Amino acid sequence: MPADSGRADPLGPIRANFRRINAIRQWSATVKRDLDEPGEGGEATFYYAHGRLEKVVARHYGEMGQRQVCYYLLGGQPSFVLEKLYRYNRPLYYDSAAMRAAHDTAAFAFDSSEVEEQRSYFAQGRLIRQLPRPAPGTPTAQVLQQEQNRLKTEFQTVLRSR
């Protein structure tokens, strides 16, 4: 958006909050909890500054990948959510012995994972932008509403584990 348009950047406060949280070097408390999930399970780490929850990092593990979700909070609610989906090159258990037995050329290597990112921006409890954007022709408002519901529901589920 051009600077002379007269309208404030709606992502400005979200980005400022993100920078503020990432600048915190000394957390007053960090609490790690297991997530009650099917499959390989998961864990969440809750980061507190001056007794206030500022950030939550949840990891959901699977045999063929993991999903990491970082919630940056403003007023106790997500303002920015960064999701990373790691797709493993082989199953977790696929070590060098399994590789040789299968006459394969690669064993499990986290560094060989494909990584996909999604960024979600919230203002006043409403999802206002998501990157990457929905595919052309997709009703954006409908997708944002579905994604807002999904992210808020997942966040509440993770919070229950604290």
Side-chain angles (χ1 to χ4, degrees):
M1 178 178 301
D4 61 354
S5 69
R7 295 192 329 194
D9 176 11
L11 302 183
I14 299 165
R15 289 180 176 133
N17 186 59
F18 174 82
R19 285 190 301 274
R20 179 188 65 78
I21 292 171
N22 279 336
I24 298 171
R25 296 290 172 237
Q26 184 84 7
W27 296 99
S28 56
T30 56
V31 177
K32 191 177 244 183
R33 296 282 187 255
D34 288 335
L35 296 174
D36 186 25
E37 297 185 338
E40 305 298 321
E43 63 186 22
T45 305
F46 301 88
Y47 296 86
Y48 295 86
H50 308 292
R52 187 173 68 199
L53 182 61
E54 296 280 358
K55 178 179 171 181
V56 178
V57 177
R59 292 182 183 271
H60 310 273
Y61 299 111
E63 182 178 299
M64 286 300 299
Q66 75 169 269
R67 190 168 146 257
Q68 177 185 314
V69 187
C70 298
Y71 302 92
Y72 292 83
L73 308 180
L74 184 61
Q77 294 298 314
S79 68
F80 177 68
V81 179
L82 175 61
E83 295 178 90
K84 290 185 180 183
L85 178 60
Y86 295 87
R87 288 189 182 91
Y88 299 154
N89 68 320
R90 300 290 188 276
L92 274 173
Y93 60 82
Y94 205 82
D95 59 11
S96 58
M99 176 189 78
R100 283 190 300 276
H103 304 290
D104 199 349
T105 59
F108 168 77
F110 184 80
D111 292 345
S112 296
S113 299
E114 292 179 19
V115 183
E116 200 175 293
E117 284 189 2
Q118 181 169 293
R119 294 173 169 85
S120 300
Y121 301 84
F122 286 83
Q124 300 170 340
R126 199 172 60 83
L127 182 59
I128 60 170
R129 185 165 304 158
Q130 197 169 54
L131 299 173
R133 297 182 191 274
T138 305
T140 305
Q142 182 180 358
V143 170
L144 286 179
Q145 184 63 49
Q146 289 170 345
E147 285 293 288
Q148 175 181 302
N149 294 344
R150 177 184 68 83
L151 290 167
K152 284 185 166 189
T153 298
E154 287 180 2
F155 178 65
Q156 291 304 316
T157 300
V158 168
L159 279 184
R160 283 194 289 275
S161 70
R162 335 184 240 185

